[in-house]
Amino acid sequence: MRICGYIAMVLLGYNVILDSLMVNASINLSTAVLIRVDQSGKGNFKTIQAAIDSVPSNNSHLIFIWVKPGTYSEKVVVPADKPFITLSGTNNKASETIISWSDGGDIYDSPTLSVLASDFVGRYLTIQNTYGSGDKAVALRVSGDRAAFYGCRILSYQDTVLDEIGSHYYSNCYIEGATDFICGNAASLFQRCHVHSISKNNGSITAQHRDSESQNTGFTFLGCKITGNGSAYLGRPWGAYSRVVFALSYMSGVIVPLGWDSWSGQTKQSTVYYGEYKNYGAGADRSQRVQWSHNLAAEEVAPFLSKDMIGGPHWLRPNPTYFKSGSITIKSHLRHS
């Protein structure tokens, strides 16, 4: 089963490479069309959604939507027919640019920000759903392929990040919630992220939804920091073939000794793939871990320790070198992520 998992990851990366090379061939990655959002009226638009709505369907240019600091109380959707959008805060501080909404109940209708398009980038944003406990309340839904998030804060209680489908990358993000707050069936790498549980009693950090051995999906947490206020499991299986790996990560005492929850039954224990590799901290002690989790060897964890697992080197793009506003092109001063 482990060998099959490795082959599946390699095939996933190969397919992503082919797709991204074909799509990116006609896109100028050095220059982006600049759209400014400013609530004071000094930008092109006062709301984020209005800026997104202005982007033509099936555009063939990079679009860089630069959002001025402030709290934007709106529900935002990036439609599937609007690829190559970057949505960015301005000061490299996610706490200064906030997208906030309060909605709960349906996992697909409640998100504050829904990314349905491919080749999306989010930078230095706080994305929050303030609904609180009691029902599903998604802050961020990612359903497009090849999406990346840098330095973002993503906050809710239940189902904070619906990491639904596609290949995704999260770098230096802060993700907070209590119940299944990183869930879905994407193939995603969380690198150097801070994951914080606010569950008072044995909540679950992940609920990965892989439901077939043939699906090339799973979550990897690499070099992350896991903290919390109460107690939490590393994950439980939403799908029968749920796959999650934590590697080289700090785990505070918030993690319960068993580590993983079977979700009210033992039927999935023989098919899930839950692995740990050289984690440290009080919560990383594996002496009482469930027997159906894996203490991975170096050769077993190798496919999960780089961006190759999501084909990232071939679709993760640098910040644009130039901005274009109308017929004027200006040089970018953005730091590369």
Side-chain angles (χ1 to χ4, degrees):
M1 178 178 174
R2 295 184 184 183
I3 294 175
C4 291
Y6 174 85
I7 293 173
M9 280 297 195
V10 171
L11 290 176
L12 170 64
Y14 180 70
N15 290 333
V16 168
I17 290 168
L18 291 180
D19 291 344
S20 60
L21 286 176
M22 289 187 290
V23 171
N24 292 342
S26 60
I27 300 292
N28 180 0
L29 297 178
S30 68
T31 304
V33 176
L34 179 64
I35 300 174
R36 296 179 183 270
V37 177
D38 188 340
Q39 291 175 319
S40 70
K42 296 179 180 179
N44 303 105
F45 299 95
K46 292 184 177 181
T47 69
I48 296 169
Q49 190 62 58
I52 293 170
D53 291 344
S54 74
V55 177
S57 297
N58 304 312
N59 75 87
S60 57
H61 302 279
L62 289 185
I63 305 295
F64 197 100
I65 301 176
W66 207 338
V67 186
K68 285 290 190 178
T71 298
Y72 295 80
S73 298
E74 54 179 309
K75 181 179 283 195
V76 177
V77 178
V78 183
D81 63 351
K82 297 190 177 185
F84 293 102
I85 288 177
T86 292
L87 189 62
S88 178
T90 53
N91 294 331
N92 296 340
K93 292 182 180 179
S95 60
E96 295 186 1
T97 306
I98 302 167
I99 310 172
S100 182
W101 197 252
S102 177
D103 196 1
D106 187 89
I107 197 170
Y108 302 108
D109 293 337
S110 65
T112 299
L113 172 61
S114 295
V115 178
L116 311 181
S118 65
D119 299 287
F120 176 88
V121 174
R123 303 172 73 253
Y124 305 113
L125 300 167
T126 291
I127 306 158
Q128 64 183 22
N129 189 328
T130 60
Y131 182 83
S133 61
D135 213 333
K136 304 175 185 70
V138 177
L140 172 65
R141 174 187 176 188
V142 190
S143 302
D145 198 13
R146 301 183 298 275
F149 296 84
Y150 300 94
C152 290
R153 297 172 68 242
I154 312 167
L155 316 171
S156 187
Y157 189 89
Q158 181 172 343
D159 302 337
T160 302
V161 177
L162 175 55
D163 196 53
E164 189 178 8
I165 54 174
S167 297
H168 307 149
Y169 180 60
Y170 299 82
S171 174
N172 291 291
C173 292
Y174 175 86
I175 305 173
E176 178 180 288
T179 305
D180 305 333
F181 63 95
I182 302 175
C183 60
N185 196 18
S188 295
L189 174 61
F190 298 80
Q191 190 165 19
R192 299 182 301 277
C193 291
H194 183 177
V195 178
H196 185 75
S197 171
I198 55 175
S199 170
K200 295 180 180 178
N201 185 28
N202 293 354
S204 182
I205 293 173
T206 66
Q208 209 279 332
H209 197 198
R210 181 171 176 257
D211 54 20
S212 168
E213 192 173 12
S214 65
Q215 291 178 337
N216 306 325
T217 60
F219 300 159
T220 293
F221 296 83
L222 177 60
C224 292
K225 179 180 180 181
I226 316 299
T227 62
N229 298 331
S231 59
Y233 289 100
L234 292 170
R236 61 179 183 169
W238 188 3
Y241 289 83
S242 181
R243 178 161 55 188
V244 181
V245 170
F246 284 85
L248 304 172
S249 295
Y250 169 78
M251 297 180 181
S252 74
V254 68
I255 302 302
V256 299
L258 292 175
W260 305 88
D261 180 29
S262 60
W263 207 330
S264 301
Q266 300 180 356
T267 58
K268 300 174 182 177
Q269 294 181 6
S270 63
T271 54
V272 300
Y273 188 88
Y274 290 152
E276 299 172 54
Y277 177 75
K278 289 190 176 181
N279 300 302
Y280 59 100
D285 182 0
R286 284 192 46 83
S287 63
Q288 298 182 57
R289 284 292 196 264
V290 294
Q291 293 183 354
W292 39 275
S293 68
H294 305 289
N295 188 20
L296 299 177
E299 63 274 14
E300 293 173 312
V301 78
F304 301 97
L305 297 185
S306 77
K307 298 182 184 73
D308 291 333
M309 63 164 285
I310 55 170
H314 300 274
W315 62 263
L316 289 168
R317 62 181 185 263
N319 291 320
T321 307
Y322 299 97
F323 285 144
K324 191 173 189 179
S325 182
S327 59
I328 301 174
T329 301
I330 58 178
K331 189 168 184 177
S332 166
H333 295 288
L334 291 175
R335 295 185 312 185
H336 285 253
S337 301

